[in-house]
Amino acid sequence: MLRALHIENAALIRRLDIDFSEKFTVFTGETGAGKSIIIGSLGLLSGSRADKEMIRTGADKMVVEGLFSDLDDALLAALEANGVKPDENGELMLSRVVSLDGRSICRINGRAVPLALLRTAGQLLIAIHGQHDTKSLLDPATHLAVLDRYAANDAEKQAYKDVYRRIQKVKNDLSVLLKEKAETKRMAELLRSEVAQIEKASLKVGEVEELEQKKKFLQGARQLRKQANTVVHALYKNDKGVSAADLIGYAITAISAMDDAFPERESALEKLTECKLELESIANTASSLCLLADEDPEAALAMIEDRLAQIGTLQKKFGYDIETIIYHAKHARERLELLEQSEGREVSLRQELEKLVLEARELALRLHECRCAAAKRLQEAVCDQLQYLDLGKVRFETPVNLQYNDKQVLMLSSDGADSFEFLISANVGEPPRPIAKIASGGELSRIMLALKTVLADSEQTPTLIFDEIDTGISGKTSQKIGFLMKEIAQGTQVLCVTHSAQLASSATDHYKISKSEAQGRTETSITELDMEGRIDELARILGGVEITDTVRRNAMELLQYTK
């Protein structure tokens, strides 16, 4: 609720401080005394447009501050959802400073905030209603929220919203997937081609080094064969002469034929035999080299060059060495597998979407039934209040209609599948039409008040402000309005500016707004009235040029009647 209001340099107001109770407070006073300035100042706290013309002449800025306390859990949650938290005492201070240069500085609990945030917080804390300030009633987009508050259908609505949010996520995922589908197909083809190229090459780690070594070997093959043959012929096998092995064989035979006269004969034979075996081994190695060199070196070299060129092409495309190329192929296979899974994911998403839509339609129908039942109760309750407020011939209707497309398929939105708007018929025999097209200012005020009365238990805004909604209404009806406001004030703080004595008499607290001259300047002041003061003020409103005892008695009777 609004606990206190401070205003500085606003038009006729030099400085004004008001403390409020949690009940029903009225403001009265002569026309032009400054009542509208107070309402306009409160409007600044709820984000209304600031006009530097509102600044008091001679001042460089205007200041408005509102202190709010006793905020319930639902309101605190709504505020915190927008990043606004009360102080350690559970209080919120909203302030706005308007300068002559047109700048507007907004603060919440002393912290500078954007105007949009002040507006959000202010509109959660106060709601201003007047003959020309019934936006919520004239805007069909707000009507469904009013019905839902009255229906207390939070569970049904939340269940639907949860599924609807999942639908939007799946739709978004599917949209992204479809947008990427063409690119996915192109990428998959590219990856398949790369994997096929690399797999066809059958690469082996270390293969390049082996090929280079063999290439070097083959490039010296002719010379190698010549040298190897020389080694074989000289050491072991020579068709045109005697080899070293033959000579050693001859020596072995000769020494074997000698008697013991040959010194160390056995040792010499052993050494010569070993030497011959070594010569044979060396000759065999050389002989094997001759066999290798016997291959066609040009053909072998051509094959090696082709293989190295193949590997070089892959290196240019996929990596410097074979290890990198093989890793690229592995990574490409993994990516390809993921891309191929996208087709299956599309099918899965479509199936999930179909299932969620069916679930959402079922929940939307359940929500529709709940709203229809609540709309019927709301219609009856508001009509009863309109009858009480002397608008018995006004028909107030609350049709809840399901929305279908041209194929007669239920259309889903974030709020369900319903279209809803308050309709009225102001005259007998006329069909009901949207409120904005039918109702007069006085009718709008009373329809709004009837709604506020019916919705009092579910009203979320802790402070309701009514600005002269009794204009053009009879004293009897004004008194009924006062009674309704008093009833609303049992659960919601109500502030009202009025010119009606009947309405003012119903209030718990009564402030008189007046203006006077001080040091050559006109100033607005405010006075909280005691019982005697209230009688005088009500008598002033009721009376004519002269306040008679009869008028005063009438004022006293009004106060006694409304206690």
Side-chain angles (χ1 to χ4, degrees), residues 77-223:
L79 288 167
E80 290 188 14
N82 289 280
V84 177
K85 292 185 179 182
D87 62 17
E88 62 275 9
N89 298 317
E91 296 177 335
L92 274 178
M93 173 69 81
L94 271 57
S95 70
R96 193 164 176 190
V97 178
V98 181
S99 303
L100 279 175
D101 60 7
R103 289 189 306 162
S104 179
I105 300 175
C106 307
R107 289 187 172 87
I108 296 179
N109 281 349
R111 178 173 62 91
V113 298
L115 174 60
L117 183 56
L118 181 78
R119 180 182 295 115
T120 298
Q123 291 179 355
L124 286 170
L125 294 165
I126 57 177
I128 301 175
H129 304 287
Q131 284 204 27
H132 305 291
D133 193 9
T134 53
K135 295 178 184 176
S136 62
L137 196 56
L138 295 175
D139 183 4
T142 67
H143 295 179
L144 188 60
V146 172
L147 175 62
D148 284 337
R149 286 205 305 273
Y150 182 73
N153 59 10
D154 290 349
E156 292 83 356
K157 192 173 181 180
Q158 190 60 50
Y160 171 81
K161 282 184 173 294
D162 288 344
V163 175
Y164 186 79
R165 275 194 292 268
R166 289 164 59 194
I167 286 175
Q168 299 311 303
K169 183 181 184 306
V170 172
K171 281 185 175 180
N172 182 67
D173 292 346
L174 188 57
S175 175
V176 171
L177 191 66
L178 292 176
K179 285 180 182 178
E180 294 177 348
K181 193 170 184 178
E183 178 62 20
T184 298
K185 183 177 180 181
R186 188 195 69 80
M187 180 58 69
E189 290 174 353
L190 176 62
L191 292 172
R192 287 192 191 97
S193 174
E194 291 180 351
V195 170
Q197 277 184 276
I198 296 172
E199 287 182 344
K200 184 178 180 181
S202 300
L203 298 174
K204 295 183 293 183
V205 176
E207 182 179 3
V208 171
E209 291 77 5
E210 291 178 7
L211 289 172
E212 291 289 354
Q213 187 175 359
K214 191 170 183 181
K215 175 183 174 182
K216 184 177 180 181
F217 170 76
L218 289 174
Q219 286 173 337
R222 290 189 181 89
Q223 184 65 25

Side-chain angles (χ1 to χ4, degrees), residues 172-315:
N172 182 67
D173 292 346
L174 188 57
S175 175
V176 171
L177 191 66
L178 292 176
K179 285 180 182 178
E180 294 177 348
K181 193 170 184 178
E183 178 62 20
T184 298
K185 183 177 180 181
R186 188 195 69 80
M187 180 58 69
E189 290 174 353
L190 176 62
L191 292 172
R192 287 192 191 97
S193 174
E194 291 180 351
V195 170
Q197 277 184 276
I198 296 172
E199 287 182 344
K200 184 178 180 181
S202 300
L203 298 174
K204 295 183 293 183
V205 176
E207 182 179 3
V208 171
E209 291 77 5
E210 291 178 7
L211 289 172
E212 291 289 354
Q213 187 175 359
K214 191 170 183 181
K215 175 183 174 182
K216 184 177 180 181
F217 170 76
L218 289 174
Q219 286 173 337
R222 290 189 181 89
Q223 184 65 25
L224 175 66
R225 183 167 49 193
K226 180 180 178 181
Q227 299 295 343
N229 278 327
T230 300
V231 171
V232 171
H233 293 159
L235 298 182
Y236 187 67
K237 188 177 181 181
N238 191 336
D239 296 334
K240 296 180 180 180
V242 181
S243 68
D246 291 336
L247 294 174
I248 291 175
Y250 298 154
I252 290 173
T253 300
I255 293 173
S256 297
M258 294 181 182
D259 55 19
D260 294 338
F262 185 85
E264 300 180 356
R265 182 172 68 91
E266 294 301 327
S267 175
L269 288 173
E270 183 179 348
K271 289 178 180 179
L272 287 173
T273 301
E274 290 177 359
C275 185
K276 184 179 180 183
L277 290 173
E278 287 291 333
L279 291 175
E280 290 177 356
S281 175
I282 294 171
N284 286 334
T285 301
S287 180
S288 65
L289 291 176
C290 289
L291 292 174
L292 287 174
D294 281 342
E295 299 176 8
D296 183 355
E298 283 74 17
L301 276 171
M303 291 178 62
I304 290 173
E305 293 290 357
D306 289 344
R307 179 61 171 170
L308 288 172
Q310 180 187 23
I311 295 173
T313 300
L314 295 177
Q315 286 176 320

